[in-house]
Amino acid sequence: MDNKLSLELKHISKTFPGVKALNDVSFSAQPGKVCGIVGVNGAGKSTLMNILGGIHQPDEGGEIFINGEKVVIADPKASTELGVAFIQQEVQAFDTMNVYENILAADLNKWRKKHSLALDRAAMKKEAQVHLDALDSHIDVDAPVYTLTVGDKQIIQIARALSQGGRILLFDEPTSSLSDHEVAMLFGVVRRLKEQGYIIFYISHFLDEIFELCDNVVILRDGQLVDQAEISDINKEQLVEMMLGYQIEGNTHSREHAQDEVIFKAEHISGEKLPRDFSFELHKGEILGVWGLLGSGRSELFNTILGIDKMMDGKLFFKQDGELKEITQKDFYKHIGYLTEGRHYDGLFLNMPICQNITSSDLDQFAAKGTGILNPAKEHVESRKLIEQVGVKTPDENVKVSKLSGGNQQKVIVAKWFLKDPEILFMDEPTKGVDVGAKNEIKELIFDKAEKGTSFVVISSELEEIMSLCDRIIVIYEGRLVGEVQKADFSKESLMKGIVSQEDKDAE
Amino acid sequence: MSEKLKRFTSNNKQLLIMLGVIAVVFIILSLTVPNFSTARNLTNLLQQIAPIAVMACGATYVLVIGGMDISNPAVMAASAVVGVYYMTTGGGNLVLGTILIVLTGTFLGLINGFAIAKLKMVPMVVTLSMMTIGTGLATILSGTRGLPILPASFSNVLNKTVVIIILLVVMIVMDFILTGTKFGRKLYYIGNNARTARISGIDSENITMFTYAISGMCAGIAGVINTASIATARANMGPQSQILDIISAAVIGGVSPNGGSGRVRDAVLGAVLIVGLNNVMNLLAVSDYYTTLIKGGIIIGAMGLASYRQQQAAKRGV
Amino acid sequence: MQSKKKFDIFNLSSYLVLLAILVVFGIVGNNFLAIKSIYATINNGTPLILITCAVTFSLLVGIIDLSCAAIGYAAGVTSGMLMHWYGVAFPVALLVGIVIGVFLGWINSLLIVKLKMNGMLVTFGMMLVLRAYGRIITNDNTITLGDHVKAIRQARIAALGGLQVTVIVLIALAVILHLVLKYTAFGRRLMLVGCDENVAKRIGINSDKVKTQALLLEGLLCGIAGSFFWIVVEGAIVTTGLNSYEFLAIAGACLGGISLLGGRGTIFPGAVIGSLILLFLAAGMANAGISIFVTPFVRGVIIFIAMYIDALRTRRMMGNKLG
């Protein structure tokens, strides 16, 4: 490895229409060090990565130096040629192909035999083996990738990055789907790479990992660089403080406390991987927050309870006729609404009018009993009412949802579930990708509905939001329930406590 | 008033375009092609249109949920042969035999649906093997000498007028179910985004299964119509290439081959155009091959139109 | 690391099915396993085997091409008519046929890859057009080519018990294709794109180019299948030539374990054994005196079962991701 490997960013800003995603960020990285990058969602981490990856260009005035030379990363190809390589959270692998083919997939022409079209498989395997050896891995180069564990696939991704000449390696949440054992293996690999003099960036929501693996850490908040610090100079509390940046005030909204009546109880819920043995209770009219880091199994908890993912173990109880009775997932689904995280992925029917999107949650309201004939006039009236209630800005209810802005689309989903008016509403990141104005409006809608007796279970990665919204927060970590905080005790310390103590326990 | 008219035109754009095209073509043909506008030719034409149009109704359902059923003509032939076998060789009752034709179609469609929805097999493959199974079943039952002719009363009852009434009833009922009922709406939801449909609490599995059964049922009804017109059933009454007429009728009628949009009545008008084309070519004594050539071109054109529409929609959407 | 070579019944399933067919009809049939009758079955099946190999390439990149047999037919009709009308020498006519195959593959790629049209339906339309073209230029007549292809039709290799030269040509082609698919960068790229187009794009593979190449190669092979094997085996241009071979080829590919979703499959055993299963099934049933009417029915059932097994295999491999 040559000695002059270096990376320096100077005055990087990035403006998207209406948002300043990065604001004058400068820092540098040295070979042989692991540099952590931390920040809450929306802090600017992914924009920064996209700039290094050549997907976005920085605003005028920003400069990137690699090995002391000023470079322009015009596109992903240029980025690869400069030796920048990404190891993604979602494993990028070709499942039906062999290990060595996966490692060397990007530049197959290089492996042609002289005077022949055939690939030199022996040489390919040897080369793949060299990279695997460098990572101290024992994966068989001939094995089909679908037989491997996620952790091994992750290693293959790293080997691929090295084979492409990667010397600046960016790990983006690499451990979020790994088991403890695999994480340990990955850390071993990262340390080896560090010793060999690569520049390594490590993005993670798991603060414990940052402290275990990194030498220094870059903290981003609202697109600005808060600090670049040696890891030995700070502790976990200080780091969280810097990431969040503000003192959170508890109880900003005065509203009647939830009723005491338990409406739903989940017992010992276990999924295929996450969650693990998770139990909680929900009261009528309560807004219950589920807080955890990315990858803690928050969304998996919802999916498992609601039968989208397979439930391996556990029981659901739901209050019917004044009695808490066990209920099947299928029956339970009739009483709930589920606002998912992926708006376009599984939240909307983009090419259909607003009106039909709203009524999709409960067509029975508009259908004649027996024949199933719909009453379009009623559909229009009801959806107009809801459009008004949640404040979707649109000329009328016949507009296709794809033509609305992100905030308005989100409100359509809220309207959709308000139409069904279920007893319980599960919401996964209800204000994700929505501007501040719409955020507050959606929150007000949730409060209103809760007053009227609907119970909410809400996931949010924004601490401020979850604290201002919820009556009670349960904390999830690695799929397990690790804490419960009442409104009176809301503070980031009390929430972090469960996680910090758990990470300490794991570290032992 | 003008506002209402505007709303009506924008909601029924496809219908108006189709009617316009058909009207123009009809006028031109009446003036130029001898024997076209005779009552005899026109009723013949409607009778030719009927089986294709009925199957196009079923194909519309399948396309709307984003599926594909290429077994339609084979299922049609198989159910007709089963029914006629029962009525002639089996000595069965004509009414029961007619019902049996429709039921056989429905049953074969249900098998398709079961394999696709419950066993999660690829629609193309499932219906492909159903195609050979259907053809096989029909050939086995009809044997080398073919099936006997049905009593004249069968064709007399199911005469041209009745066939056209059947077509209209199927079209109106199926169009209404698709656009006006809970079940139909769910088809659009599934075709538009199957994941959102699932999250919204829609039972996609069963609905998908029934959709293929309905497609099979339409094939069965088409089988009855075809049986009536030739007074017996043959294994080759549903050539495999007929599926092209069916699907292109739907696509020309504005049904998206990628799911999520389209209407039964427009698909029927598409069938009128496609089969009408055949008829005119016949009248003009254009050889069969040129007809096929032109039809192939029309399908490619229709697909181009569909992909253009989709790209435009995507552009507008973002 | 783990799971080196687990015994996998699925990988052997196509061989087992073929073996079962041979054994069953060897017992019930009449001299079914005589070397001459085996040779005849394979020789008559050469067009199907090659077309199955051809569709394998488009299936690997996730395109279901229903025009494959029609491309072969159009190419075969053209080269046959060149010989019939102008007395063009067989090799020249063959070359023209191949060029036509490549050209039609290119048209398909234009429509599917460039204009992003629904591949299955477009090639369906293409099939109609090409069929019509063939019937127009032959005026729907059967045209016997007699002397033009006599020499190659009758060429046998005595040392191998009278094995037809056409079969030798086919074996040579299949070997080359197998090597291309398995050992070249081109073949590997097809797999990568079919396996996961998005990942392939992300690591810098030009997936549109790869898909176009696949369709061109497929066109080339169909051209050979039609203008060489078909007219040599038939010795004539027949209106119904290669009829419904597109379905047989895709079914054969499925039987050989080639995924219709792309990214998985081989020429050998895949396409070759898959098409042999269909060929020997039909031949065996004919030999055993089973009505030819029953054949398509049995074939349909076998394809259905094979596909169900394939669905199970895919699910087992990918977890439940696809479901």
mmCIF file of all heavy atoms in Angstrom, chain B residues 119 124-125 128-129 132-133 139 144 243-244 289-290 292-293 300 303-304 307, chain C residues 115 117-118 120 124 128-129 132 136 140 247 260 293 297 300-301 304 307-308 315:
data_model
loop_
_atom_site.group_PDB
_atom_site.id
_atom_site.type_symbol
_atom_site.label_atom_id
_atom_site.label_comp_id
_atom_site.label_asym_id
_atom_site.label_seq_id
_atom_site.Cartn_x
_atom_site.Cartn_y
_atom_site.Cartn_z
ATOM 1 N N LEU B 119 -49.598 -22.026 -5.058
ATOM 2 C CA LEU B 119 -48.296 -22.683 -5.195
ATOM 3 C C LEU B 119 -47.228 -21.701 -5.656
ATOM 4 O O LEU B 119 -46.061 -22.064 -5.782
ATOM 5 C CB LEU B 119 -48.391 -23.861 -6.173
ATOM 6 C CG LEU B 119 -49.442 -24.914 -5.860
ATOM 7 C CD1 LEU B 119 -49.413 -26.015 -6.899
ATOM 8 C CD2 LEU B 119 -49.218 -25.499 -4.471
ATOM 9 N N MET B 124 -47.135 -17.538 -16.608
ATOM 10 C CA MET B 124 -46.836 -17.931 -17.982
ATOM 11 C C MET B 124 -46.650 -19.452 -18.091
ATOM 12 O O MET B 124 -47.196 -20.094 -18.992
ATOM 13 C CB MET B 124 -45.563 -17.183 -18.391
ATOM 14 C CG MET B 124 -44.965 -17.612 -19.669
ATOM 15 S SD MET B 124 -45.969 -17.071 -21.047
ATOM 16 C CE MET B 124 -45.249 -18.085 -22.315
ATOM 17 N N VAL B 125 -45.911 -20.028 -17.151
ATOM 18 C CA VAL B 125 -45.627 -21.459 -17.213
ATOM 19 C C VAL B 125 -46.874 -22.279 -16.913
ATOM 20 O O VAL B 125 -47.170 -23.269 -17.589
ATOM 21 C CB VAL B 125 -44.553 -21.831 -16.180
ATOM 22 C CG1 VAL B 125 -44.224 -23.292 -16.312
ATOM 23 C CG2 VAL B 125 -43.336 -20.989 -16.356
ATOM 24 N N LEU B 128 -49.168 -22.082 -19.741
ATOM 25 C CA LEU B 128 -48.558 -22.787 -20.875
ATOM 26 C C LEU B 128 -48.819 -24.287 -20.766
ATOM 27 O O LEU B 128 -49.239 -24.941 -21.724
ATOM 28 C CB LEU B 128 -47.054 -22.519 -20.915
ATOM 29 C CG LEU B 128 -46.227 -23.270 -21.951
ATOM 30 C CD1 LEU B 128 -46.446 -22.692 -23.331
ATOM 31 C CD2 LEU B 128 -44.745 -23.216 -21.622
ATOM 32 N N SER B 129 -48.598 -24.827 -19.562
ATOM 33 C CA SER B 129 -48.839 -26.268 -19.463
ATOM 34 C C SER B 129 -50.326 -26.578 -19.487
ATOM 35 O O SER B 129 -50.736 -27.613 -20.016
ATOM 36 C CB SER B 129 -48.152 -26.888 -18.243
ATOM 37 O OG SER B 129 -48.198 -26.049 -17.156
ATOM 38 N N THR B 132 -51.244 -27.055 -23.104
ATOM 39 C CA THR B 132 -51.022 -28.388 -23.698
ATOM 40 C C THR B 132 -51.947 -29.414 -23.062
ATOM 41 O O THR B 132 -52.454 -30.303 -23.751
ATOM 42 C CB THR B 132 -49.565 -28.848 -23.541
ATOM 43 O OG1 THR B 132 -49.140 -28.575 -22.227
ATOM 44 C CG2 THR B 132 -48.662 -28.150 -24.511
ATOM 45 N N ILE B 133 -52.185 -29.279 -21.760
ATOM 46 C CA ILE B 133 -53.094 -30.236 -21.115
ATOM 47 C C ILE B 133 -54.489 -30.117 -21.714
ATOM 48 O O ILE B 133 -55.127 -31.112 -22.050
ATOM 49 C CB ILE B 133 -53.137 -30.000 -19.581
ATOM 50 C CG1 ILE B 133 -51.788 -30.361 -18.963
ATOM 51 C CG2 ILE B 133 -54.254 -30.810 -18.940
ATOM 52 C CD1 ILE B 133 -51.670 -30.036 -17.499
ATOM 53 N N THR B 139 -58.121 -33.486 -27.545
ATOM 54 C CA THR B 139 -57.811 -34.462 -28.607
ATOM 55 C C THR B 139 -58.132 -35.872 -28.164
ATOM 56 O O THR B 139 -58.639 -36.680 -28.948
ATOM 57 C CB THR B 139 -56.319 -34.417 -29.009
ATOM 58 O OG1 THR B 139 -55.651 -33.505 -28.172
ATOM 59 C CG2 THR B 139 -56.155 -33.996 -30.442
ATOM 60 N N THR B 144 -60.044 -40.010 -33.024
ATOM 61 C CA THR B 144 -59.612 -39.829 -34.409
ATOM 62 C C THR B 144 -60.762 -39.396 -35.302
ATOM 63 O O THR B 144 -60.575 -38.635 -36.245
ATOM 64 C CB THR B 144 -59.030 -41.143 -34.977
ATOM 65 O OG1 THR B 144 -59.668 -42.229 -34.341
ATOM 66 C CG2 THR B 144 -57.539 -41.221 -34.756
ATOM 67 N N ILE B 243 -54.970 -16.959 -28.891
ATOM 68 C CA ILE B 243 -54.722 -16.181 -27.677
ATOM 69 C C ILE B 243 -54.221 -14.794 -28.048
ATOM 70 O O ILE B 243 -54.465 -13.803 -27.361
ATOM 71 C CB ILE B 243 -53.724 -16.915 -26.737
ATOM 72 C CG1 ILE B 243 -53.567 -16.164 -25.406
ATOM 73 C CG2 ILE B 243 -52.369 -17.073 -27.374
ATOM 74 C CD1 ILE B 243 -54.817 -16.086 -24.607
ATOM 75 N N LEU B 244 -53.548 -14.711 -29.200
ATOM 76 C CA LEU B 244 -53.050 -13.412 -29.661
ATOM 77 C C LEU B 244 -54.187 -12.463 -29.964
ATOM 78 O O LEU B 244 -54.146 -11.294 -29.598
ATOM 79 C CB LEU B 244 -52.255 -13.627 -30.941
ATOM 80 C CG LEU B 244 -50.799 -13.878 -30.706
ATOM 81 C CD1 LEU B 244 -50.117 -14.049 -32.028
ATOM 82 C CD2 LEU B 244 -50.221 -12.688 -29.973
ATOM 83 N N TYR B 289 -52.651 -15.238 -45.032
ATOM 84 C CA TYR B 289 -51.304 -14.898 -44.519
ATOM 85 C C TYR B 289 -51.147 -13.405 -44.303
ATOM 86 O O TYR B 289 -50.569 -12.968 -43.316
ATOM 87 C CB TYR B 289 -50.211 -15.382 -45.478
ATOM 88 C CG TYR B 289 -50.632 -16.508 -46.382
ATOM 89 C CD1 TYR B 289 -50.478 -16.418 -47.752
ATOM 90 C CD2 TYR B 289 -51.208 -17.658 -45.830
ATOM 91 C CE1 TYR B 289 -50.873 -17.442 -48.577
ATOM 92 C CE2 TYR B 289 -51.615 -18.683 -46.670
ATOM 93 C CZ TYR B 289 -51.447 -18.574 -48.041
ATOM 94 O OH TYR B 289 -51.846 -19.577 -48.843
ATOM 95 N N TYR B 290 -51.682 -12.615 -45.279
ATOM 96 C CA TYR B 290 -51.549 -11.171 -45.119
ATOM 97 C C TYR B 290 -52.319 -10.707 -43.897
ATOM 98 O O TYR B 290 -51.906 -9.810 -43.181
ATOM 99 C CB TYR B 290 -52.023 -10.452 -46.374
ATOM 100 C CG TYR B 290 -51.024 -10.579 -47.507
ATOM 101 C CD1 TYR B 290 -51.224 -11.447 -48.557
ATOM 102 C CD2 TYR B 290 -49.847 -9.827 -47.486
ATOM 103 C CE1 TYR B 290 -50.307 -11.581 -49.585
ATOM 104 C CE2 TYR B 290 -48.915 -9.955 -48.502
ATOM 105 C CZ TYR B 290 -49.156 -10.834 -49.548
ATOM 106 O OH TYR B 290 -48.224 -10.969 -50.534
ATOM 107 N N THR B 292 -52.796 -12.394 -41.163
ATOM 108 C CA THR B 292 -51.967 -12.687 -39.999
ATOM 109 C C THR B 292 -50.835 -11.675 -39.877
ATOM 110 O O THR B 292 -50.534 -11.169 -38.797
ATOM 111 C CB THR B 292 -51.345 -14.092 -40.131
ATOM 112 O OG1 THR B 292 -52.259 -14.942 -40.773
ATOM 113 C CG2 THR B 292 -50.973 -14.623 -38.779
ATOM 114 N N LEU B 293 -50.221 -11.383 -41.020
ATOM 115 C CA LEU B 293 -49.117 -10.423 -41.037
ATOM 116 C C LEU B 293 -49.555 -9.087 -40.452
ATOM 117 O O LEU B 293 -48.932 -8.526 -39.563
ATOM 118 C CB LEU B 293 -48.650 -10.247 -42.484
ATOM 119 C CG LEU B 293 -47.372 -9.456 -42.700
ATOM 120 C CD1 LEU B 293 -46.194 -10.357 -42.393
ATOM 121 C CD2 LEU B 293 -47.280 -8.976 -44.142
ATOM 122 N N ILE B 300 -47.842 -5.589 -32.329
ATOM 123 C CA ILE B 300 -46.595 -4.894 -31.978
ATOM 124 C C ILE B 300 -46.875 -3.404 -31.814
ATOM 125 O O ILE B 300 -46.412 -2.764 -30.868
ATOM 126 C CB ILE B 300 -45.519 -5.163 -33.046
ATOM 127 C CG1 ILE B 300 -45.187 -6.661 -33.056
ATOM 128 C CG2 ILE B 300 -44.271 -4.346 -32.774
ATOM 129 C CD1 ILE B 300 -44.181 -7.072 -34.097
ATOM 130 N N MET B 303 -48.578 -2.818 -28.526
ATOM 131 C CA MET B 303 -47.628 -2.905 -27.407
ATOM 132 C C MET B 303 -46.793 -1.642 -27.333
ATOM 133 O O MET B 303 -46.493 -1.143 -26.254
ATOM 134 C CB MET B 303 -46.701 -4.111 -27.581
ATOM 135 C CG MET B 303 -47.376 -5.445 -27.520
ATOM 136 S SD MET B 303 -48.477 -5.549 -26.151
ATOM 137 C CE MET B 303 -47.326 -5.146 -24.866
ATOM 138 N N GLY B 304 -46.406 -1.136 -28.508
ATOM 139 C CA GLY B 304 -45.648 0.110 -28.533
ATOM 140 C C GLY B 304 -46.462 1.231 -27.911
ATOM 141 O O GLY B 304 -45.978 1.994 -27.088
ATOM 142 N N SER B 307 -46.518 0.822 -24.182
ATOM 143 C CA SER B 307 -45.294 1.205 -23.481
ATOM 144 C C SER B 307 -45.113 2.726 -23.551
ATOM 145 O O SER B 307 -44.614 3.356 -22.614
ATOM 146 C CB SER B 307 -44.097 0.440 -24.040
ATOM 147 O OG SER B 307 -43.301 1.248 -24.843
ATOM 148 N N LEU C 115 -36.965 0.015 -26.751
ATOM 149 C CA LEU C 115 -38.267 0.666 -26.594
ATOM 150 C C LEU C 115 -39.026 0.141 -25.377
ATOM 151 O O LEU C 115 -40.132 0.572 -25.096
ATOM 152 C CB LEU C 115 -39.096 0.473 -27.865
ATOM 153 C CG LEU C 115 -38.465 1.086 -29.117
ATOM 154 C CD1 LEU C 115 -39.302 0.783 -30.358
ATOM 155 C CD2 LEU C 115 -38.306 2.593 -28.964
ATOM 156 N N MET C 117 -40.704 -2.502 -24.601
ATOM 157 C CA MET C 117 -42.045 -3.046 -24.747
ATOM 158 C C MET C 117 -42.118 -4.400 -24.034
ATOM 159 O O MET C 117 -41.102 -5.028 -23.778
ATOM 160 C CB MET C 117 -42.378 -3.195 -26.235
ATOM 161 C CG MET C 117 -42.610 -1.839 -26.877
ATOM 162 S SD MET C 117 -42.326 -1.776 -28.645
ATOM 163 C CE MET C 117 -43.713 -2.627 -29.270
ATOM 164 N N ASN C 118 -43.350 -4.806 -23.724
ATOM 165 C CA ASN C 118 -43.566 -6.070 -23.031
ATOM 166 C C ASN C 118 -43.075 -7.232 -23.906
ATOM 167 O O ASN C 118 -43.670 -7.542 -24.937
ATOM 168 C CB ASN C 118 -45.058 -6.197 -22.725
ATOM 169 C CG ASN C 118 -45.396 -7.460 -21.990
ATOM 170 O OD1 ASN C 118 -44.932 -8.539 -22.351
ATOM 171 N ND2 ASN C 118 -46.187 -7.333 -20.952
ATOM 172 N N MET C 120 -42.893 -10.536 -23.933
ATOM 173 C CA MET C 120 -43.615 -11.724 -24.314
ATOM 174 C C MET C 120 -44.648 -11.430 -25.396
ATOM 175 O O MET C 120 -44.789 -12.167 -26.358
ATOM 176 C CB MET C 120 -44.304 -12.285 -23.093
ATOM 177 C CG MET C 120 -44.356 -13.765 -23.102
ATOM 178 S SD MET C 120 -45.146 -14.308 -21.634
ATOM 179 C CE MET C 120 -46.828 -14.132 -22.106
ATOM 180 N N PHE C 124 -44.720 -12.418 -29.375
ATOM 181 C CA PHE C 124 -45.919 -13.117 -29.834
ATOM 182 C C PHE C 124 -46.361 -12.532 -31.180
ATOM 183 O O PHE C 124 -46.631 -13.241 -32.147
ATOM 184 C CB PHE C 124 -47.037 -12.948 -28.795
ATOM 185 C CG PHE C 124 -47.827 -14.191 -28.522
ATOM 186 C CD1 PHE C 124 -48.409 -14.385 -27.279
ATOM 187 C CD2 PHE C 124 -47.999 -15.150 -29.491
ATOM 188 C CE1 PHE C 124 -49.134 -15.518 -27.004
ATOM 189 C CE2 PHE C 124 -48.736 -16.295 -29.232
ATOM 190 C CZ PHE C 124 -49.297 -16.481 -27.986
ATOM 191 N N LEU C 128 -46.376 -14.093 -35.250
ATOM 192 C CA LEU C 128 -47.427 -14.051 -36.271
ATOM 193 C C LEU C 128 -46.900 -13.509 -37.586
ATOM 194 O O LEU C 128 -47.133 -14.080 -38.657
ATOM 195 C CB LEU C 128 -48.552 -13.127 -35.796
ATOM 196 C CG LEU C 128 -49.632 -13.693 -34.938
ATOM 197 C CD1 LEU C 128 -50.811 -12.731 -34.943
ATOM 198 C CD2 LEU C 128 -50.081 -15.037 -35.469
ATOM 199 N N VAL C 129 -46.175 -12.382 -37.482
ATOM 200 C CA VAL C 129 -45.681 -11.727 -38.678
ATOM 201 C C VAL C 129 -44.775 -12.682 -39.458
ATOM 202 O O VAL C 129 -44.912 -12.841 -40.672
ATOM 203 C CB VAL C 129 -44.917 -10.442 -38.299
ATOM 204 C CG1 VAL C 129 -44.199 -9.876 -39.518
ATOM 205 C CG2 VAL C 129 -45.862 -9.414 -37.723
ATOM 206 N N ALA C 132 -46.555 -15.568 -41.108
ATOM 207 C CA ALA C 132 -47.273 -15.116 -42.294
ATOM 208 C C ALA C 132 -46.287 -14.907 -43.443
ATOM 209 O O ALA C 132 -46.541 -15.319 -44.576
ATOM 210 C CB ALA C 132 -48.014 -13.822 -41.987
ATOM 211 N N ILE C 136 -46.486 -16.603 -47.075
ATOM 212 C CA ILE C 136 -46.676 -15.771 -48.265
ATOM 213 C C ILE C 136 -45.647 -16.144 -49.329
ATOM 214 O O ILE C 136 -45.996 -16.371 -50.481
ATOM 215 C CB ILE C 136 -46.552 -14.273 -47.898
ATOM 216 C CG1 ILE C 136 -47.788 -13.837 -47.116
ATOM 217 C CG2 ILE C 136 -46.416 -13.425 -49.161
ATOM 218 C CD1 ILE C 136 -47.648 -12.495 -46.461
ATOM 219 N N ASP C 140 -47.942 -20.914 -49.422
ATOM 220 C CA ASP C 140 -48.547 -21.950 -48.582
ATOM 221 C C ASP C 140 -48.419 -23.354 -49.182
ATOM 222 O O ASP C 140 -49.228 -24.232 -48.928
ATOM 223 C CB ASP C 140 -50.021 -21.643 -48.303
ATOM 224 C CG ASP C 140 -50.401 -22.108 -46.902
ATOM 225 O OD1 ASP C 140 -49.525 -22.657 -46.217
ATOM 226 O OD2 ASP C 140 -51.552 -21.903 -46.500
ATOM 227 N N PHE C 247 -43.197 -23.146 -27.821
ATOM 228 C CA PHE C 247 -43.688 -23.655 -26.539
ATOM 229 C C PHE C 247 -42.899 -24.883 -26.094
ATOM 230 O O PHE C 247 -42.547 -25.016 -24.927
ATOM 231 C CB PHE C 247 -45.181 -23.987 -26.641
ATOM 232 C CG PHE C 247 -46.017 -22.780 -26.883
ATOM 233 C CD1 PHE C 247 -46.766 -22.644 -28.040
ATOM 234 C CD2 PHE C 247 -46.032 -21.739 -25.969
ATOM 235 C CE1 PHE C 247 -47.515 -21.504 -28.282
ATOM 236 C CE2 PHE C 247 -46.778 -20.596 -26.192
ATOM 237 C CZ PHE C 247 -47.515 -20.485 -27.364
ATOM 238 N N LEU C 260 -37.342 -19.374 -15.516
ATOM 239 C CA LEU C 260 -38.005 -18.402 -16.375
ATOM 240 C C LEU C 260 -37.828 -16.991 -15.856
ATOM 241 O O LEU C 260 -38.165 -16.028 -16.514
ATOM 242 C CB LEU C 260 -39.505 -18.708 -16.458
ATOM 243 C CG LEU C 260 -39.907 -19.905 -17.296
ATOM 244 C CD1 LEU C 260 -41.400 -19.962 -17.441
ATOM 245 C CD2 LEU C 260 -39.263 -19.852 -18.665
ATOM 246 N N PHE C 293 -52.792 -38.533 -29.758
ATOM 247 C CA PHE C 293 -53.607 -37.527 -29.099
ATOM 248 C C PHE C 293 -53.284 -37.427 -27.617
ATOM 249 O O PHE C 293 -53.489 -36.398 -26.987
ATOM 250 C CB PHE C 293 -55.087 -37.860 -29.268
ATOM 251 C CG PHE C 293 -55.506 -37.938 -30.702
ATOM 252 C CD1 PHE C 293 -56.251 -39.005 -31.175
ATOM 253 C CD2 PHE C 293 -55.139 -36.924 -31.587
ATOM 254 C CE1 PHE C 293 -56.637 -39.065 -32.507
ATOM 255 C CE2 PHE C 293 -55.516 -36.981 -32.914
ATOM 256 C CZ PHE C 293 -56.261 -38.045 -33.376
ATOM 257 N N PHE C 297 -51.213 -34.222 -23.896
ATOM 258 C CA PHE C 297 -51.774 -34.220 -22.544
ATOM 259 C C PHE C 297 -50.713 -34.637 -21.522
ATOM 260 O O PHE C 297 -50.466 -33.959 -20.531
ATOM 261 C CB PHE C 297 -52.972 -35.169 -22.491
ATOM 262 C CG PHE C 297 -53.636 -35.230 -21.159
ATOM 263 C CD1 PHE C 297 -54.446 -34.190 -20.740
ATOM 264 C CD2 PHE C 297 -53.440 -36.318 -20.316
ATOM 265 C CE1 PHE C 297 -55.058 -34.236 -19.503
ATOM 266 C CE2 PHE C 297 -54.049 -36.363 -19.075
ATOM 267 C CZ PHE C 297 -54.861 -35.324 -18.674
ATOM 268 N N GLY C 300 -48.125 -31.985 -21.164
ATOM 269 C CA GLY C 300 -48.567 -30.870 -20.324
ATOM 270 C C GLY C 300 -48.435 -31.199 -18.847
ATOM 271 O O GLY C 300 -47.943 -30.398 -18.062
ATOM 272 N N VAL C 301 -48.877 -32.410 -18.484
ATOM 273 C CA VAL C 301 -48.807 -32.801 -17.074
ATOM 274 C C VAL C 301 -47.351 -32.821 -16.594
ATOM 275 O O VAL C 301 -47.024 -32.347 -15.511
ATOM 276 C CB VAL C 301 -49.477 -34.178 -16.865
ATOM 277 C CG1 VAL C 301 -49.236 -34.670 -15.457
ATOM 278 C CG2 VAL C 301 -50.960 -34.084 -17.156
ATOM 279 N N PHE C 304 -46.023 -29.371 -16.110
ATOM 280 C CA PHE C 304 -46.622 -28.802 -14.912
ATOM 281 C C PHE C 304 -45.897 -29.292 -13.657
ATOM 282 O O PHE C 304 -45.522 -28.519 -12.785
ATOM 283 C CB PHE C 304 -48.099 -29.178 -14.855
ATOM 284 C CG PHE C 304 -48.873 -28.411 -13.835
ATOM 285 C CD1 PHE C 304 -49.414 -27.182 -14.165
ATOM 286 C CD2 PHE C 304 -49.042 -28.906 -12.546
ATOM 287 C CE1 PHE C 304 -50.119 -26.456 -13.226
ATOM 288 C CE2 PHE C 304 -49.755 -28.194 -11.613
ATOM 289 C CZ PHE C 304 -50.290 -26.962 -11.960
ATOM 290 N N MET C 307 -42.444 -27.847 -13.383
ATOM 291 C CA MET C 307 -42.448 -26.454 -12.951
ATOM 292 C C MET C 307 -42.771 -26.324 -11.480
ATOM 293 O O MET C 307 -42.298 -25.419 -10.817
ATOM 294 C CB MET C 307 -43.454 -25.654 -13.773
ATOM 295 C CG MET C 307 -43.029 -25.423 -15.189
ATOM 296 S SD MET C 307 -41.252 -25.251 -15.363
ATOM 297 C CE MET C 307 -40.976 -23.785 -14.425
ATOM 298 N N TYR C 308 -43.594 -27.216 -10.978
ATOM 299 C CA TYR C 308 -43.876 -27.146 -9.550
ATOM 300 C C TYR C 308 -42.610 -27.450 -8.755
ATOM 301 O O TYR C 308 -42.285 -26.766 -7.785
ATOM 302 C CB TYR C 308 -44.999 -28.117 -9.177
ATOM 303 C CG TYR C 308 -45.318 -28.054 -7.704
ATOM 304 C CD1 TYR C 308 -45.660 -26.831 -7.127
ATOM 305 C CD2 TYR C 308 -45.242 -29.179 -6.900
ATOM 306 C CE1 TYR C 308 -45.924 -26.746 -5.778
ATOM 307 C CE2 TYR C 308 -45.515 -29.098 -5.550
ATOM 308 C CZ TYR C 308 -45.852 -27.881 -4.991
ATOM 309 O OH TYR C 308 -46.112 -27.792 -3.659
ATOM 310 N N ARG C 315 -37.875 -21.489 -4.335
ATOM 311 C CA ARG C 315 -38.247 -20.993 -3.017
ATOM 312 C C ARG C 315 -37.233 -21.430 -1.969
ATOM 313 O O ARG C 315 -36.850 -20.672 -1.096
ATOM 314 C CB ARG C 315 -39.638 -21.491 -2.640
ATOM 315 C CG ARG C 315 -40.541 -20.369 -2.235
ATOM 316 C CD ARG C 315 -41.915 -20.848 -1.924
ATOM 317 N NE ARG C 315 -42.562 -21.437 -3.096
ATOM 318 C CZ ARG C 315 -43.687 -22.141 -3.010
ATOM 319 N NH1 ARG C 315 -44.240 -22.344 -1.847
ATOM 320 N NH2 ARG C 315 -44.232 -22.645 -4.082
#
